[in-house]
């Protein structure tokens, strides 16, 4: 877990819990972030699973904070032998939103401007990383917040592939149309500002503004020369925020939605079974020449059994 000082089953009170969280609450959205947080998903507990992540997000209608622990993507390292300082420090970035994540949205953006991207600056980063003095003393950890710059932007993106939801690849996936799969924030469907892939490998966090969020670093600036801002997520958490009442209401609504979904799935399965049974009973092969239908083999077996009984009686 990112912050292990005092999380409990009931949640944690953020104010005073951790300096970075306190800064995030103060400079982000004090009213929503300054109260209780509830851990909904943790890779430390649930494993790095895109399917489980979707399951947690689906149907939860309250505001959330997603925290991502990043390391340079090994596949995109420009110099795999270099000893870059980002290796040891890693990076922490995230996303806050008051809108619900949609579990499956077919590559369409959703949400509103009540959200922001953020980054926790590493303690060992020098001012030069932000264009400052080489010799300056490293500043204390701080939170950088990148807010929307438009009220009509591409805020949130959720486009799971068929494989992640247990289905078969669709035509778009087979043809490879350049659309990104996974979770995203900002940008376009082919180039997301923040992109979490379904494998949590070769994700990306771009710096330049894409028309929705302000320009700024989401990862240590030195990573531009190291891995082109590609990263692997080695830790991931989703927190429900907004205070105890809001979180409790959101969890209850999510539970009701899941019950309704399970009931609908059960009804569909029952209908499918009845239709299959009716199909077999209708015996569509009965009119074929020299064939008494799909169930004719049952009559044949019964006939052979009667023959055997007659022979035994002789």
């Amino acid at each position: 877990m990112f912050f292990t000082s005092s999380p409990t089953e009931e949640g944690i009170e953020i104010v005073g819990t951790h300096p970075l969280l306190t800064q995030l609450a103060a400079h982000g959205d004090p009213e929503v972030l300054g109260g209780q947080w509830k851990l909904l998903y943790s890779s430390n507990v649930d494993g790095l699973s895109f399917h489980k992540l979707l399951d947690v997000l689906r149907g939860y209608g309250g505001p959330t904070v997603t925290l991502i622990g990043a390391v340079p993507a090994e596949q995109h390292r420009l110099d795999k032998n270099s000893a870059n300082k980002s290796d040891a420090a890693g990076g922490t970035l995230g996303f806050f939103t008051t809108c619900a994540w949609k579990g499956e949205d077919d590559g369409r953006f959703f949400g509103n401007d009540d959200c922001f991207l953020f980054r926790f600056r590493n303690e060992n980063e020098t001012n030069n990383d932000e264009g400052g003095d080489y010799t300056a003393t490293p500043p204390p950890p701080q939170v950088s917040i990148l807010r929307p710059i438009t009220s009509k932007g591409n805020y949130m993106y959720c486009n799971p592939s068929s494989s992640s939801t247990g289905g078969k690849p669709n035509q778009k996936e087979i043809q490879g149309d350049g659309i990104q799969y996974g979770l995203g924030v900002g940008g376009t469907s082919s180039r997301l500002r923040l992109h979490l892939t379904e494998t949590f490998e070769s994700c990306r966090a771009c710096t330049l503004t894409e028309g929705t969020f302000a320009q700024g670093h989401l990862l240590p600036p030195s990573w531009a020369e190291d891995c082109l801002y590609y990263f692997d997520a080695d830790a991931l958490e989703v927190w429900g925020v907004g205070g105890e009442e809001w979180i409790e209401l959101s969890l209850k609504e999510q539970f009701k939605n899941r019950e309704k979904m399970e009931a609908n799935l059960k009804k569909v399965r029952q209908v499918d079974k009845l239709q299959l049974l009716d199909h077999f009973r209708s015996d569509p092969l009965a009119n074929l020449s020299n064939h008494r239908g799909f169930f004719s083999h049952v009559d044949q077996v019964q006939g052979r059994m009667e023959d055997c009984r007659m022979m035994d009686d002789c």
Side-chain angles (χ1 to χ4, degrees):
M1 297 174 71
F2 288 92
F3 307 108
T4 58
S5 53
S6 61
T8 65
E9 290 184 1
E10 292 75 26
I12 63 173
E13 294 293 336
I14 287 304
V15 177
T17 298
H18 192 284
L20 288 178
L21 297 184
T22 303
Q23 286 186 49
L24 181 63
H27 300 292
D29 189 329
E31 185 177 352
V32 179
L33 295 172
Q36 188 183 83
W37 289 31
K38 173 76 173 180
L39 186 62
L40 304 177
Y41 169 86
S42 170
S43 58
N44 187 49
V45 177
D46 303 302
L48 275 171
S49 166
F50 189 76
H51 177 74
K52 289 183 179 179
L53 176 62
L54 279 185
D55 189 54
V56 166
L57 295 176
R58 187 180 290 115
Y60 186 85
T64 55
V65 170
T66 302
L67 294 171
I68 306 167
V71 295
E74 195 62 33
Q75 185 177 348
H76 296 273
R77 294 294 293 270
L78 300 182
D79 185 358
K80 298 183 184 298
N81 297 320
S82 66
N84 195 297
K85 62 183 175 182
S86 60
D87 293 346
T92 302
L93 65 157
F95 178 65
F96 161 76
T97 178
T98 58
C99 289
W101 282 95
K102 298 181 181 180
E104 298 177 26
D105 209 63
D106 196 27
R108 295 188 297 270
F109 284 88
F110 54 94
N112 59 35
D113 61 352
D114 195 4
C115 62
F116 58 79
L117 291 159
F118 63 89
R119 169 190 170 223
F120 292 155
R121 182 183 176 125
N122 295 325
E123 294 185 20
N124 67 337
E125 288 183 40
T126 64
N127 281 346
N128 184 62
D129 288 332
E130 303 290 351
D133 186 358
Y134 275 99
T135 60
T137 303
Q142 62 184 28
V143 178
S144 298
I145 294 177
L146 306 180
R147 298 185 184 276
I149 57 177
T150 177
S151 59
K152 297 180 180 180
N154 293 343
Y155 303 108
M156 300 164 67
Y157 178 91
C158 181
N159 188 27
S161 66
S162 300
S163 59
S164 68
T165 56
K168 296 181 179 179
N170 57 41
Q171 196 63 29
K172 288 184 178 180
E173 294 174 51
I174 295 174
Q175 292 175 349
D177 55 3
I179 292 178
Q180 302 288 341
Y181 293 95
L183 290 181
V185 177
T188 65
S189 58
S190 59
R191 185 178 174 84
L192 297 160
R193 176 73 179 273
L194 170 61
H195 181 206
L196 270 181
T197 66
E198 295 177 327
T199 62
F200 300 114
E201 297 178 350
S202 295
C203 307
R204 202 174 194 190
C206 300
T207 297
L208 298 177
T209 182
E210 76 309 327
T212 299
F213 292 92
Q215 180 170 315
H217 295 292
L218 288 171
L219 292 170
S222 59
W223 289 26
E225 300 177 359
D226 186 22
C227 56
L228 302 176
Y229 292 121
Y230 282 97
F231 69 91
D232 296 337
D234 67 346
L236 185 67
E237 292 178 359
V238 177
W239 293 80
V241 297
E244 182 178 0
E245 184 176 350
W246 203 344
I247 294 171
E248 184 177 352
L249 178 62
S250 299
L251 288 172
K252 286 182 178 179
E253 287 298 317
Q254 184 183 47
F255 181 75
K256 289 181 181 178
N257 289 334
R258 286 179 176 177
E259 281 191 323
K260 187 183 297 184
M261 185 181 298
E262 285 297 325
N264 290 336
L265 286 174
K266 185 177 181 181
K267 187 181 298 184
V268 168
R269 293 190 189 103
Q270 290 175 341
V271 171
D272 287 345
K273 288 179 180 178
L274 288 174
Q275 289 178 342
L276 182 62
L277 187 58
D278 289 342
H279 175 74
F280 284 141
R281 284 173 175 171
S282 67
D283 210 2
L285 302 179
N287 294 326
L288 294 179
S289 59
N290 300 323
H291 198 294
R292 293 193 63 254
F294 188 82
F295 289 106
S296 60
H297 66 284
V298 177
D299 295 335
Q300 295 172 6
V301 172
Q302 290 176 342
R304 286 196 294 269
M305 291 176 65
E306 289 295 332
D307 293 338
C308 290
R309 293 194 188 98
M310 292 176 63
M311 292 176 66
D312 290 338
D313 292 339
C314 295

